[in-house]
């Protein structure tokens, strides 16, 4: 197994980079965070995981060992492949993934493109005993009491849980006084207004499959 690479960075793209190791250009797939740490023409070291399939061999690169460990643990979840595992780490830091898994925060995984509510719950269920926080980040603040009620109202109107959550968070950020007051009807009204609605949807979007 190729555990790490050290060499000169010859190319950095939007989802991959090439590192010249003794004259051999090694292509790695990586998160935006890892790619942002690489500079063309500069020497770099990345920790790697080699994924071998019947028709391909893909090298994934990580800025630090903890990121690779979480990546490989995510691969143990049924239905999670390397691309999806990398997508999780593109949205959340390794420690945030650990916190979400250990606390049962399936909504954190629902924020990742390609993961629906059912898939998020499966990830939390299968990772519960495999990932524990290392204490390098503070746990996210608990959602306010009104959040679940507004979310239930939004999903009842046909919004997907992911879209509703994003809209509610945006409303809370734009109207901190309303969020602090915790009036469910007022927050729901503001959220619907922000989405260009007047209290009911003319047509409901399809809910994302798990």
């Amino acid at each position: 197994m190729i555990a790490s690479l050290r060499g000169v960075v010859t190319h950095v793209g939007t989802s991959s980079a090439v590192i010249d190791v003794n004259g051999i250009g090694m292509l790695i797939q990586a998160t935006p965070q890892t790619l942002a740490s690489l500079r063309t023409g500069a020497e770099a070291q990345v920790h790697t995981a080699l994924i071998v399939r019947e028709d391909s061999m893909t090298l994934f690169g990580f800025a630090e060992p903890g990121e690779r460990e979480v990546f490989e643990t995510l691969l143990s979840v049924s239905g999670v492949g390397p691309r999806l595992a990398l997508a999780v780490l593109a949205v959340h830091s390794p420690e945030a993934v650990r916190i979400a898994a250990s606390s049962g925060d399936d909504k954190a995984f629902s924020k990742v493109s390609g993961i629906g509510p059912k898939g998020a719950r499966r990830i939390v269920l299968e990772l519960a005993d495999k990932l524990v926080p290392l204490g390098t980040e503070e746990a996210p603040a608990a959602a306010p009491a009104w959040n679940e009620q507004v979310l239930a109202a939004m999903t009842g109107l046909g919004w997907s849980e992911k879209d509703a959550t994003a809209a509610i968070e945006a409303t809370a950020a734009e109207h901190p006084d309303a969020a602090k007051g915790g009036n469910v009807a007022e927050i729901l009204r503001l959220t619907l207004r922000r989405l260009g609605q007047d209290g009911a949807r003319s047509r409901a979007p399809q809910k994302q499959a798990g």
Side-chain angles (χ1 to χ4, degrees), residues 2-7 9 17-19 21 26-30 34-35 37-38 43-49 59-65 67-68:
I2 302 175
S4 65
L5 297 176
R6 180 187 293 275
V9 179
V18 176
I19 299 179
V21 182
M26 306 294 287
L27 176 68
I28 63 167
Q29 305 293 319
T34 294
L35 293 170
S37 69
L38 304 177
E43 185 175 85
Q45 178 177 5
V46 292
H47 302 273
T48 58
L59 201 58
F60 292 85
F62 309 94
E64 45 100 24
E67 189 178 24
R68 179 181 62 191

Side-chain angles (χ1 to χ4, degrees), residues 21-76:
V21 182
N22 297 324
I24 301 176
M26 306 294 287
L27 176 68
I28 63 167
Q29 305 293 319
T31 64
Q33 297 91 317
T34 294
L35 293 170
S37 69
L38 304 177
R39 296 291 181 270
T40 302
E43 185 175 85
Q45 178 177 5
V46 292
H47 302 273
T48 58
L50 178 63
I51 304 299
V52 179
R53 297 286 187 261
E54 291 183 2
D55 57 349
S56 66
M57 294 177 63
T58 307
L59 201 58
F60 292 85
F62 309 94
E64 45 100 24
E67 189 178 24
R68 179 181 62 191
E69 181 183 356
V70 171
F71 172 82
E72 292 176 335
T73 305
L74 283 166
L75 294 181
S76 68

Side-chain angles (χ1 to χ4, degrees), residues 19-159:
I19 299 179
D20 187 306
V21 182
N22 297 324
I24 301 176
M26 306 294 287
L27 176 68
I28 63 167
Q29 305 293 319
T31 64
Q33 297 91 317
T34 294
L35 293 170
S37 69
L38 304 177
R39 296 291 181 270
T40 302
E43 185 175 85
Q45 178 177 5
V46 292
H47 302 273
T48 58
L50 178 63
I51 304 299
V52 179
R53 297 286 187 261
E54 291 183 2
D55 57 349
S56 66
M57 294 177 63
T58 307
L59 201 58
F60 292 85
F62 309 94
E64 45 100 24
E67 189 178 24
R68 179 181 62 191
E69 181 183 356
V70 171
F71 172 82
E72 292 176 335
T73 305
L74 283 166
L75 294 181
S76 68
V77 178
S78 58
V80 176
R83 302 291 179 184
L84 194 55
L86 201 66
V88 171
L89 288 167
V91 175
H92 300 294
S93 69
E95 182 69 0
V97 175
R98 291 177 176 275
I99 292 172
S102 63
S103 64
D105 183 11
D106 57 305
K107 291 183 177 61
F109 293 103
S110 292
K111 294 180 180 179
V112 179
S113 178
I115 300 179
K118 291 182 180 178
R121 287 191 289 271
R122 182 172 63 249
I123 290 174
V124 166
L125 181 63
E126 296 190 27
L127 291 185
D129 298 325
K130 296 180 180 179
L131 290 176
V132 296
L134 301 178
T136 57
E137 292 181 12
E138 293 185 1
W146 52 260
N147 187 276
E148 287 296 327
Q149 297 178 59
V150 177
L151 180 61
M154 293 291 292
T155 55
L157 289 171
W159 294 95

